[in-house]
Amino acid sequence: MEILAADIGGSRARLLIGDYRDGRWTERRRTIYPSGDFADLDSLLLAFLQPGDAPQAACLALAGPLENGRLRMTNLPWTVDAADLTARFKLRRLRLINDFAAQALGLPDLPGSSLCTLQAGRPQADAPRLLIGAGTGLGVAQLVGGSALQSEGGHAGFAPADAEQDALLQHLRASGEDCSLETLLSGRGLARLHRYAGGNPALDAPAIGSAALAGEPAAAAAAALFARIYAATAGNLALTTLAHGGVYLCGGIAPRLLPFLQAPAVLQAFCDKPPMQALLREIPLHVVIDDLLGLYGAARGAALLAAECLAGDAHG
């Protein structure tokens, strides 16, 4: 059965057409478009689909809240209606899912070459996996028993781990700023840390990352602090979820700051949770360096729908 998968964010739309057969999906064609070039989802899908394409099962991962089969994109002026799409594109099954849930679903299909392992640990095959993604915001999701569990963990409160971070929290409070994790672990958060370190307030996150890698002192200090807070947060959430299947740092920022995440102080921040250091040293910690993770998850979601269709045919 032919499947359609898409991972659509505010800046990029990744689409895949493939086949589901014998319990597995295979890719046939993949394209990446600038999302903003399209007025709506229909025009994007029509640009991607070619004569002869006839997907019957589709899973679309979209950044936005889903309610009663309708989704309004957070960073695009699009409203998506599942029933309308199903009829217009003659689909048998369609699933709209949150973009971060799709990334969690994609973990089983992620090749080892798409990971940079910070701590090998002792992974347990059937244990929960935890995904933490710093980008525009901070996303948190779990993969448990093949099901993606969404959360709003990115809006949990920031917990300082040392004197430097105590001073940072006091600065945030004195400035009247929010003290959630996302305040610091996001593109805006990296810029906030850069200003705190005395850096140029006009620089955005990509520019700060480049400056940090080039050794500019304020940018490097901000990146190192960002990495330690990221790792400490990952350790806290790993204890909360007992993620013995592994913790995966994803999103656009982690791969760009990889040298800072590979620093010894980062792994120490992940494990330094007395008396649970030994437990945390058993949990694998990886950085995802593949930006197709969400598309893999959408393809897995489409494959599950295709399996349901074929099972229904067999019993019909």
Side-chain angles (χ1 to χ4, degrees):
M1 179 174 289
E2 195 168 285
I3 63 169
L4 170 67
D7 176 25
I8 303 169
S11 58
R12 291 186 179 181
R14 301 169 177 86
L15 297 98
L16 175 153
I17 193 118
D19 298 294
Y20 174 79
R21 182 180 290 110
D22 299 328
R24 296 181 59 83
W25 66 270
T26 55
E27 177 182 331
R28 202 163 73 232
R29 189 178 72 255
R30 182 206 316 157
T31 305
I32 301 176
Y33 297 101
S35 306
D37 286 0
F38 299 90
D40 51 36
L41 180 57
D42 282 24
S43 58
L44 171 65
L45 295 179
L46 288 171
F48 174 68
L49 294 171
Q50 298 179 359
D53 289 340
Q56 294 179 277
C59 181
L60 310 180
L62 305 162
L66 177 65
E67 185 175 355
N68 298 324
R70 288 174 60 85
L71 183 143
R72 183 179 294 276
M73 295 284 289
T74 300
N75 297 308
L76 289 171
W78 298 1
T79 298
V80 181
D81 185 285
D84 287 349
L85 276 177
T86 300
R88 195 151 42 249
F89 290 92
K90 300 179 180 178
L91 301 167
R92 290 180 62 183
R93 297 284 180 89
L94 169 66
R95 183 183 178 192
L96 304 180
I97 62 173
N98 174 269
D99 58 335
F100 217 76
Q103 291 190 57
L105 281 177
L107 288 174
D109 297 315
L110 192 66
S113 59
S114 296
L115 296 174
C116 176
T117 297
L118 304 181
Q119 175 170 276
R122 295 178 182 270
Q124 297 177 14
D126 299 322
R129 303 189 199 188
L130 175 67
L131 192 73
I132 310 170
T136 304
L138 180 66
V140 179
Q142 292 182 75
L143 186 69
V144 181
S147 297
L149 306 180
Q150 297 173 225
S151 86
E152 293 295 340
H155 296 286
F158 165 55
D162 55 32
E164 180 184 21
Q165 293 175 32
D166 285 338
L168 172 62
L169 180 59
Q170 293 303 318
H171 169 79
L172 291 173
R173 287 176 173 163
S175 303
E177 296 186 83
D178 179 46
C179 298
S180 72
L181 291 171
E182 188 174 270
T183 302
L184 301 171
L185 298 177
S186 62
R188 294 186 303 274
L190 181 59
R192 189 173 281 111
L193 291 173
H194 185 236
R195 292 193 300 272
Y196 177 70
N200 182 350
L203 295 186
D204 60 9
I208 294 165
S210 298
L213 294 173
E216 193 279 319
L225 181 55
F226 182 99
R228 293 196 302 276
I229 294 172
Y230 203 175
T233 298
N236 289 338
L237 292 171
L239 289 177
T240 302
T241 58
L242 289 180
H244 285 287
V247 175
Y248 298 79
L249 307 181
C250 65
I253 297 177
R256 294 190 182 102
L257 297 184
L258 188 57
F260 292 92
L261 287 166
Q262 292 173 310
V266 169
L267 200 55
Q268 180 181 351
F270 177 76
C271 295
D272 189 18
K273 315 288 180 187
M276 292 293 160
Q277 295 98 323
L279 184 152
L280 284 164
R281 284 193 288 268
E282 298 284 306
I283 293 180
L285 179 62
H286 310 282
V287 176
V288 178
I289 55 176
D290 192 330
D291 64 359
L292 295 177
L293 179 57
L295 187 60
Y296 298 147
R300 176 172 281 260
L304 292 172
L305 295 177
E308 292 173 6
C309 289
L310 292 173
D313 293 344
H315 290 92

